[in-house]
Amino acid sequence: MGARGELFTTQIYLDNRSYFFNVKENRTGDVFLQVVESKSRDGEDFDRHQIAVFADDLQKFLQGMDKSLSFIEKDRKARAKAAREKKVAKEAKYGKGGDKKVYYLKDGKTASEEKRDDGIKRTGRVIHIVSKRTDEGKTELETVIEQNENIAAKDVSGTEKY
């Protein structure tokens, strides 16, 4: 028998954690599995947590572990499948590559209709509206709309402006 009743020990090292699987025997002769997690904390100390599973209960413990692992695998596959389906649906709706931007207009307007500049700055997240009074009593927004209507009347190219 080894130090402190150890019969067998194996270690697994991960990023900042180490797991030790120790098979031990206590003073009365009972064999058990001790699982120890040792985690580095700020490079100074180690947090150490352990569980002990006795040999009589080890089969039930392993069955529970096996059920948990199969659930994790099934869940991982389901999440991957859902992500693939979401990606396929997105590609079907917007086209592959995502280079094209799709604009939806209100009030039944089609994308081919010219979109005029109404003085609203659209950044995608927040709509910024600038409305300041001018000398003539009109708002700056109304002045910008009138100017853009005049420009739109002159522009006959039919291209969209966004």
Side-chain angles (χ1 to χ4, degrees), residues 145-158:
I145 291 174
E146 285 180 8
Q147 290 173 353
N148 288 334
E149 286 176 352
N150 294 336
I151 293 170
K154 294 177 185 176
D155 187 19
V156 292
S157 62

Side-chain angles (χ1 to χ4, degrees), residues 46-107:
F46 286 94
D47 282 337
R48 189 171 180 269
H49 304 283
Q50 64 184 11
I51 63 168
V53 182
F54 286 92
D56 298 340
D57 302 327
L58 202 55
Q59 289 300 319
K60 289 182 182 178
F61 178 80
L62 291 176
Q63 287 174 354
M65 179 76 83
D66 189 40
K67 286 180 183 179
S68 298
L69 291 175
S70 64
F71 173 80
I72 289 171
E73 184 64 23
K74 189 187 326 180
D75 184 57
R76 184 189 63 79
K77 287 180 181 178
R79 287 176 188 252
K81 182 179 178 183
R84 282 192 307 270
E85 290 173 354
K86 185 177 178 182
K87 183 178 179 182
V88 167
K90 186 177 178 182
E91 287 177 356
K93 186 174 183 179
Y94 299 111
K96 191 168 183 167
D99 292 339
K100 294 190 309 182
K101 288 188 177 180
V102 178
Y103 294 97
Y104 294 98
L105 304 175
K106 294 180 182 178
D107 303 329

Side-chain angles (χ1 to χ4, degrees), residues 109-140:
K109 295 180 182 177
T110 63
S112 63
E113 293 180 23
E114 183 176 336
K115 186 175 179 182
R116 61 182 151 153
D117 184 15
D118 55 2
I120 298 174
K121 179 182 175 185
R122 292 175 175 85
T123 60
R125 293 183 183 168
V126 180
I127 297 177
H128 304 278
I129 300 176
V130 179
S131 177
K132 296 180 181 176
R133 293 280 175 188
T134 61
D135 306 341
E136 305 164 353
K138 293 183 182 178
T139 64
E140 188 175 315

